Every structure is written in C-alpha cells, then in structure tokens.
Amino acid sequence: QVQLVESGGGSVQPGGSLRLSCAVSGSIFSFDAMGWYRQAPGKQRELVAVYSSGTDTNYADSVKGRFTISRDNAKNTMYLQMNNLKPEDTAVYYCNADRGTVVAGRTRYWGQGTQVTVSS
C-alpha cells in the first residue's frame, strides 16, 4: 500500500549540487515522521534530515548548512536539496516515512534507495 520512490541521484564533482525527490503514495499527513537517511559502504545507516514532528526539522551535524529538506503537500513529494557536496556524502540515500512513534512503537517505510556519488 505504501510506496516511496526516490529519484535524482547521480554522480557529481565536489562542490556540486543535487536534488533528491521522494514520491509518496499516501498523503504526507498520514505519517508521523518522514525524512532522509543514507548508508555508505561498511557503515550504519544514518539520519540525514527529518521532519520529526509537524514542521520541525532535524539535520545531521555533517550536513547542516548544506542540505535542506522540504516537501510539497499537494504533490505528496519530499525533497532533499544537497549543495556543496563532499566526497564523504557518497552513499545510498533512502527516503523514509514512519507511522507511530519511537516510544509507542512505529512502522517504518523505506524507498529503494538512490546512489549519490561525489568524486573528482
């Protein structure tokens, strides 16, 4: 029932920009939290940027000032604008949406992932 489909990944040089999109099958308002995660080879999946509650946002320290999360409610689409990309940003990026809460229990939905590669 729930589908999240990412697009916009690719290969760029350091300092370049990409905008990732996540098309959500259900209404954005039906989710309690949603955002972007990434996983580099050999590393744990980490939070990049998230709408934790309502319009409140949280960013990983490593991307603050460079990445911006946004969403278009009418289009049921979430975005991640990535500027001044660095090689360490190279990872598979995943769109995420949650129903429920960490405390009470949640169901997590994930996109298939899109590869972002930053290299010279």
Side-chain angles (χ1 to χ4, degrees):
Q1 290 290 334
V2 176
Q3 280 191 281
L4 294 80
V5 181
E6 302 100 332
S7 62
S11 297
V12 297
Q13 295 184 333
S17 298
L18 286 172
R19 189 182 76 160
L20 306 183
S21 298
C22 174
V24 183
S25 62
S27 172
I28 288 177
F29 296 109
S30 71
F31 299 99
D32 296 289
M34 57 193 307
W36 294 92
Y37 292 71
R38 68 186 182 188
Q39 187 167 23
K43 292 187 175 182
Q44 297 291 313
R45 186 174 298 186
E46 65 175 349
L47 184 150
V48 177
V50 64
Y51 285 103
S52 58
S53 179
T55 57
D56 294 337
T57 59
N58 187 43
Y59 293 88
D61 289 340
S62 60
V63 307
K64 287 181 179 177
R66 299 189 298 119
F67 291 11
T68 303
I69 188 172
S70 63
R71 58 193 179 191
D72 187 327
N73 295 333
K75 296 180 179 179
N76 280 338
T77 302
M78 182 174 63
Y79 306 94
L80 183 68
Q81 179 66 46
M82 305 184 293
N83 297 327
N84 191 24
L85 284 160
K86 303 176 179 180
E88 49 264 47
D89 295 318
T90 296
V92 177
Y93 284 71
Y94 296 92
C95 179
N96 160 257
D98 297 335
R99 285 176 176 158
T101 64
V102 174
V103 174
R106 63 182 174 180
T107 300
R108 313 202 78 178
Y109 303 92
W110 300 93
Q112 81 286 354
T114 184
Q115 177 71 47
V116 172
T117 302
V118 185
S119 66
S120 301

